[in-house]
Amino acid sequence: MQELASVILRPDCLAGGELRVTASPKGVRRVELFETALASPGGSSRRTENSACAILERACAELGRYFSGEKIAFRFPLDFDGSGTPFQLRVWKALFEIPRGEFRTYGELAARVGSPRAARAVGQAVGQNPLPVIFPCHRVISGDGRLGGFSCGVRLKVLLLELEGQAVAGSLPLPGSRWSALRMS
């Protein structure tokens, strides 16, 4: 069995939420965001110590910079060992290419991965994303311009978008924001 290490981070911008980052010796395998704190006490807490810790430390440093509002390109290694179908991997790669401060619809992602009629399948792949924030699924919206869902909770989606400079109220963009180009019905 491969050794894994994980750590809990509680960035202030998540308003009481937290994230768990899990890594193997090959790279970061999973990032989980939670709307409320898990049962473990304290600030950042190391769950395990093993050979994956160097990768985990690097990932936590980069994620810390992201959550403090810095524009960052994540450069730590990733481990997809056994994760995702070829279609899901194409969708996750397309997520990675969405620039900070921008958004894409499920239909636009479907066209990007070569399956223009597969917006729902793209939505399912986005929902299975094991690395939210790194593969920024919070930047994906519904075709009608609404925020849509988020596997980690819509509240966290709004917080992440606001961290990146988007103005959001409820499930719609605020008038005059960078979202104003969206269709509002």
Side-chain angles (χ1 to χ4, degrees):
M1 179 186 285
Q2 194 171 34
E3 293 180 8
L4 299 176
S6 65
V7 67
I8 302 290
L9 302 174
R10 295 188 176 101
D12 291 338
C13 65
L14 290 185
E18 63 186 21
L19 64 150
R20 178 174 38 219
V21 183
T22 304
S24 74
K26 294 179 184 177
V28 173
R29 185 174 283 182
R30 190 167 224 35
V31 173
E32 299 166 279
L33 288 110
F34 302 97
E35 287 189 353
T36 56
L38 298 173
S40 63
S44 295
S45 60
R46 172 103 21 241
R47 297 282 188 162
T48 320
E49 293 289 338
N50 62 36
S51 62
C53 289
I55 290 170
L56 192 59
E57 292 298 328
R58 182 173 162 197
C60 289
E62 290 183 24
L63 285 163
R65 290 171 46 208
Y66 169 83
F67 283 108
S68 68
E70 186 176 330
K71 292 179 182 178
I72 182 169
F74 296 111
R75 304 216 184 276
F76 48 83
L78 303 175
D79 177 7
F80 288 105
D81 195 21
S83 295
T85 66
F87 178 77
Q88 287 174 323
L89 292 171
R90 287 196 322 268
V91 170
W92 299 340
K93 182 179 184 283
L95 288 171
F96 190 74
E97 296 168 358
I98 303 172
R100 181 184 177 117
E102 294 186 22
F103 60 88
R104 299 291 182 272
T105 66
Y106 295 102
E108 288 171 330
L109 279 178
R112 177 83 174 124
V113 300
S115 300
R117 303 185 92 202
R120 287 186 184 196
V122 165
Q124 290 175 341
V126 168
Q128 296 296 312
N129 175 10
L131 297 162
V133 178
I134 295 144
F135 293 129
C137 49
H138 60 281
R139 298 177 188 158
V140 181
I141 60 170
S142 298
D144 66 1
R146 296 188 182 276
L147 288 180
F150 186 51
S151 62
C152 305
V154 175
R155 181 178 149 277
L156 287 178
K157 181 174 189 167
V158 169
L159 289 171
L160 292 171
L161 290 170
E162 288 175 345
L163 175 69
E164 294 180 353
Q166 299 290 350
V168 181
S171 66
L172 291 173
L174 291 175
S177 73
R178 284 184 259 174
W179 292 68
S180 60
L182 294 175
R183 295 180 306 231
M184 298 209 214
S185 48

